[in-house]
Amino acid sequence: MKAWEATVRKTQAAAKKRANTIFGTSYVVDTDEDASDQEEELHAPGEVFHAERFLPNGDYYTGYWSDTFPHGQGKYWWTDGCMYVGEWFKGKKMGKGTFSWPSGAMYEGNFKSGFMDGDGIYTGAIGGTYKGSWVMNLKHGFGIKEYPNGDVYEGEWSRGSQEGHGKYNWKIGTAYVGEWKNGKICGHGKMKWPNGNVYEGYWEEGLPKGNGTFRWEDGSSYVGNWSSDPEEQNGTYYPSAAHNEGGDDALEWDPQQLFSEDLKECKVCPTEKIPMWPSQKKLAVWRSTKGGAEPSVRHRRMSVDGRIDSGVDRDLGGIRLSDGAAPSAWISGGMRDGEESSAMYPVPIKLPKIAKRQGETISKGHRNYDLMLNLQLGIRHSVGRPGPPPSLDLKTSAFDPKEKFWTKFPPEGSKITPPHNSCEFKWKDYCPKVFRTLRMLFKVDPADYMLSICGDDALRELSSPGKSGSFFYLTNDDRYMIKTMKKAEVKVLLRMLSAYYNHVRSFENTLVTKYFGLHCVRLNGQKVRFIIMGNLFCTEYLIHKRYDLKGSTFGRLTDKPESEIDSNTTLKDLDLNFIFRLQKTWYQEFRRQVDKDCEFLEQERIMDYSLLVGIHFTEASTSTGERSVTPSYQTHIDNGGSESDSIPKLSNVEHMFLDPAGWGSIRLGISMPARVERTVRSNEAELQLIGEPTGEYYDVVLFFGIIDILQDYDITKKLEHAYKSIQYDPNSISAVDPKQYARRFRDYMLKAFAQDT
């Protein structure tokens, strides 16, 4: 500590000396710092060398350095007492290292892009350790947590909390083995007390809930339905053989004692809070006082964690990232004539222009105004209709395609319908019990659902119908999308509805489209069928680029001129020039889920589906009123910079990791922090689906899901396949049989997505 305090005093003195020089003080004290400045050597751009840096804000670094960044093994002290010793890569903590806090807490393990990521050991300030897997500062994967009070948890973690299968041992001797969710006992599991009593069954929010059995050490048991509410508690007592022999059949035991006494001391310790993550600790930017080689190297303005500064002029014109299949995506750093460039710098990314909000508001006088009113009246009637609470265990009859109900809506109203200003129409509900249960399964609140679709705000109609001829409508809050459907698509959905329900129930992270309702309006003798589904891009983040990816090449290039491409333009496979890099655990989950979803779609004879991907670049800045996320930059500090200049600013992505509510919004395909690596296609005649990686990365937030899952391999698609196969490579066209389509789609996705290393 004394050494650190001496270092701080030394760096503060150096900073004060520089400040005096800047503001015109005429005298200069000859100190050791002057000598070290005079002996400062010139280094070529990109050269790695050992250096000692007294930074303007009082921080201190010693170790290997390159250009303006720590690079290699090094030690960094912050003025608040934090310290990192370990490996660096271009200003980021990367590799093995140790980070310590002034409180005495310490983390030793792997780092990635400044985050605690990989295997590592964290020791708390008041004791207790965690040894296991980390992802972006949070416990994620398998790990062992020893709490300061002597309790121990060993098992699976997710986003900083116990989730999955795990074992918790209390210091008093009680042990639980079973399932966890969001840091609480939830699911099936067994708890054993030191006296030999055991409860085995289902749990919810840390308490027995549902079917379960309590066994005493002597063999007696109580079997039944458990609940902390005595009115819901019921069961049967089974005495042991010893009790029967003694003639004692009576049970002098209240099941509620399990809640009030047995579980009284079985509280799970809360996870300690870390006040400052290593990824939040930014570095002051080094500016040499000399006019030598280091300051003459022309860099883009960056924070020391390698991010592009928001002050960089940026072209947001409609230039496709796939344009210019140059052999390299790098340019030289602006050397003067006659100088040789030994450093290469990445070409700034160019984003499409920001488009206005999608859709035309359907107001009075619009050609589909009456249809919108009919739809809203019908939804309000269907969702608001009283009925028994939905059960996840549906009968086979609920999926019968004949399970549909017509309701007549006269303008004057009826016993079950309200009066309205539209003309008379009929409303049909398909399989209402199934879709009511699906909404419950997808955690959709009925009141919010009705408010989004049937509230005072009108729907918006997208400017042009899709390729299938369907029309799309968006709710004003962007949560739901309504699509008109052909009769054939309705038949396909009803045919596969039971399998779809079982699939989404079994796989919480499924990527397939979420369906909330299937309806039909009969107006003036014409039927309009439509499906209500979730909008994948309902987010506060601005979606800069969106792609529709199938894994085929024929017709998979956007035919719009560059000037017409904006942030609402959906690009295709051959427009893509990125590899999406996911964190290890997310990538493993992505692989598993793509396999399961493709298997499901193949079994249902579905093809021609695609993965819709939306990309938000966290460092992009726009001048529009739309919200965009500002990156976490270390404000640039020149000599004499004020103390406030060094305050770290967090990006919205980093805020998500610090805020548990933010983590709660992250799911597979939803608000996923990731990186994309830029790729470049060669100039060869053969089309490349995936270009060559350039090593240039961008921080992004990703949204993706599988859409268009209602096209079966019918006679039309078989004829399309036969016709196009004569003219083109059969492997390049979209219309192929479901088995081949699923295999090609899966293979392509596992190339377009990769693990972030």
Side-chain angles (χ1 to χ4, degrees), residues 422-478:
S422 181
C423 55
E424 181 174 303
F425 70 95
K426 284 188 175 182
W427 172 264
K428 182 193 283 187
D429 264 334
Y430 294 91
C431 300
K433 290 182 181 179
V434 177
F435 285 102
R436 182 184 290 254
T437 309
L438 281 171
R439 291 193 293 271
M440 182 185 72
L441 195 64
F442 295 142
K443 297 178 175 60
V444 174
D445 182 76
D448 291 340
Y449 184 70
M450 282 197 293
L451 188 62
S452 292
I453 301 174
C454 314
D456 295 334
D457 296 316
L459 302 178
R460 306 197 314 274
E461 182 181 73
L462 299 192
S463 56
S464 60
K467 184 179 177 181
S468 64
S470 299
F471 284 85
F472 292 85
Y473 303 92
L474 280 170
T475 57
N476 188 63
D477 59 6
D478 289 331

Side-chain angles (χ1 to χ4, degrees), residues 319-326 545 547 557 571-578 678-681:
I319 299 179
R320 277 185 288 172
L321 296 176
S322 58
D323 292 344
K545 297 187 76 66
Y547 293 91
L557 183 68
L571 305 173
K572 300 179 183 179
D573 300 68
L574 294 179
D575 298 303
L576 180 67
N577 63 343
F578 293 114
R678 201 170 183 178
T679 61
V680 175
R681 289 182 175 84

Side-chain angles (χ1 to χ4, degrees), residues 478-685:
D478 289 331
R479 291 180 65 182
Y480 302 104
M481 182 173 284
I482 302 167
K483 174 189 175 184
T484 62
M485 300 179 71
K486 297 177 181 178
K487 187 176 182 179
E489 291 178 307
V490 173
K491 287 184 176 180
V492 171
L493 179 56
L494 292 176
R495 171 180 60 79
M496 62 183 282
L497 188 57
S498 178
Y500 172 83
Y501 175 80
N502 292 328
H503 182 75
V504 298
R505 183 182 176 185
S506 301
F507 302 102
E508 184 180 3
N509 286 331
T510 180
L511 298 174
V512 299
T513 307
K514 291 180 171 58
Y515 293 130
F516 303 114
L518 180 61
H519 312 282
C520 177
V521 170
R522 185 170 184 175
L523 181 65
N524 298 326
Q526 185 177 6
K527 290 182 179 179
V528 180
R529 304 169 183 87
F530 54 90
I531 185 81
I532 301 175
M533 51 193 176
N535 177 19
L536 187 62
F537 297 151
C538 176
T539 173
E540 62 181 7
Y541 292 107
L542 176 64
I543 302 298
H544 294 108
K545 297 187 76 66
R546 54 190 74 197
Y547 293 91
D548 182 277
L549 306 176
K550 293 179 182 286
S552 56
T553 56
F554 178 74
R556 301 302 295 164
L557 183 68
T558 303
D559 54 5
K560 280 188 176 183
E562 294 176 4
S563 59
E564 295 181 12
I565 293 178
D566 58 32
S567 58
N568 285 338
T569 303
T570 301
L571 305 173
K572 300 179 183 179
D573 300 68
L574 294 179
D575 298 303
L576 180 67
N577 63 343
F578 293 114
I579 293 175
F580 304 103
R581 296 203 173 273
L582 308 180
Q583 290 290 330
K584 179 180 178 180
T585 51
W586 283 120
Y587 178 68
Q588 291 171 345
E589 179 62 26
F590 175 79
R591 288 190 61 135
R592 285 194 294 267
Q593 198 56 58
V594 167
D595 285 341
K596 295 296 183 182
D597 289 343
C598 286
E599 181 182 344
F600 157 68
L601 295 170
E602 180 185 338
Q603 289 175 351
E604 295 304 312
R605 302 291 294 166
I606 301 297
M607 42 78 66
D608 213 21
Y609 45 88
S610 54
L611 188 78
L612 182 63
V613 182
I615 309 176
H616 168 81
F617 291 89
T618 62
E619 297 161 18
S621 60
T622 67
S623 58
T624 69
E626 296 288 347
R627 177 177 179 180
S628 62
V629 182
T630 56
S632 58
Y633 297 112
Q634 168 65 37
T635 304
H636 175 68
I637 302 175
D638 285 316
N639 295 330
S642 67
E643 185 177 346
S644 62
D645 290 338
S646 63
I647 298 174
K649 299 179 181 179
L650 300 180
S651 69
N652 278 12
V653 175
E654 287 175 316
H655 276 299
M656 285 196 296
F657 298 122
L658 303 180
D659 180 12
W663 263 100
S665 67
I666 302 173
R667 291 180 50 209
L668 184 67
I670 303 295
S671 300
M672 287 191 63
R675 295 199 301 170
V676 293
E677 181 178 6
R678 201 170 183 178
T679 61
V680 175
R681 289 182 175 84
S682 66
N683 293 320
E684 299 174 1

Side-chain angles (χ1 to χ4, degrees), residues 304-481:
V304 293
D305 62 356
R307 293 186 170 130
I308 306 170
D309 191 279
S310 57
V312 178
D313 293 334
R314 193 179 305 236
D315 181 9
L316 295 177
I319 299 179
R320 277 185 288 172
L321 296 176
S322 58
D323 292 344
S328 174
W330 302 79
I331 59 174
S332 63
M335 306 299 289
R336 294 188 295 271
D337 293 340
E339 291 182 334
E340 293 184 3
S341 172
S342 60
M344 306 296 282
Y345 302 98
V347 178
I349 193 170
K350 296 179 181 179
L351 300 176
K353 58 187 177 184
I354 306 304
K356 294 181 180 179
R357 194 182 189 195
Q358 281 185 296
E360 174 190 0
T361 301
I362 304 176
S363 54
K364 196 166 185 178
H366 191 281
R367 63 186 180 280
N368 288 326
Y369 181 71
D370 283 342
L371 178 63
M372 181 192 73
L373 291 181
N374 300 159
L375 186 153
Q376 292 177 325
L377 285 166
I379 293 293
R380 190 178 290 114
H381 170 75
S382 298
V383 178
R385 184 169 50 199
S391 169
L392 293 178
D393 298 318
L394 293 171
K395 296 180 180 179
T396 306
S397 59
F399 298 96
D400 191 335
K402 296 179 182 179
E403 188 76 3
K404 49 192 175 184
F405 303 92
W406 281 104
T407 305
K408 189 176 181 180
F409 281 77
E412 65 276 10
S414 67
K415 292 182 179 180
I416 58 173
T417 64
H420 57 87
N421 297 324
S422 181
C423 55
E424 181 174 303
F425 70 95
K426 284 188 175 182
W427 172 264
K428 182 193 283 187
D429 264 334
Y430 294 91
C431 300
K433 290 182 181 179
V434 177
F435 285 102
R436 182 184 290 254
T437 309
L438 281 171
R439 291 193 293 271
M440 182 185 72
L441 195 64
F442 295 142
K443 297 178 175 60
V444 174
D445 182 76
D448 291 340
Y449 184 70
M450 282 197 293
L451 188 62
S452 292
I453 301 174
C454 314
D456 295 334
D457 296 316
L459 302 178
R460 306 197 314 274
E461 182 181 73
L462 299 192
S463 56
S464 60
K467 184 179 177 181
S468 64
S470 299
F471 284 85
F472 292 85
Y473 303 92
L474 280 170
T475 57
N476 188 63
D477 59 6
D478 289 331
R479 291 180 65 182
Y480 302 104
M481 182 173 284

Side-chain angles (χ1 to χ4, degrees), residues 106 121-130 145-149 272:
M106 183 174 67
I121 301 174
Y122 174 82
T123 304
I126 59 173
T129 62
Y130 170 82
K145 172 68 178 176
E146 297 180 0
Y147 294 91
N149 68 347
E272 74 283 356

Side-chain angles (χ1 to χ4, degrees), residues 74-179:
K75 181 187 298 185
Y76 194 104
W77 281 281
W78 284 268
T79 54
D80 64 359
C82 292
M83 181 176 69
Y84 172 76
V85 182
E87 298 174 348
W88 299 82
F89 182 79
K90 295 183 178 179
K92 295 182 181 180
K93 307 172 197 72
M94 188 83 76
K96 292 187 178 297
T98 301
F99 189 94
S100 57
W101 286 263
S103 63
M106 183 174 67
Y107 169 83
E108 183 177 2
N110 290 311
F111 288 81
K112 185 182 293 183
S113 298
F115 292 88
M116 299 186 292
D117 199 300
D119 293 330
I121 301 174
Y122 174 82
T123 304
I126 59 173
T129 62
Y130 170 82
K131 181 179 181 181
S133 178
W134 298 76
V135 172
M136 301 189 85
N137 290 338
L138 295 179
K139 305 175 187 72
H140 196 88
F142 183 84
I144 301 173
K145 172 68 178 176
E146 297 180 0
Y147 294 91
N149 68 347
D151 294 355
V152 178
Y153 171 82
E154 180 178 356
E156 297 174 343
W157 297 75
S158 178
R159 307 174 190 177
S161 300
Q162 297 97 325
E163 185 149 339
H165 191 272
K167 179 180 181 180
Y168 194 102
N169 289 299
W170 282 267
K171 184 180 180 181
I172 58 176
T174 306
Y176 169 82
V177 180
E179 297 175 340

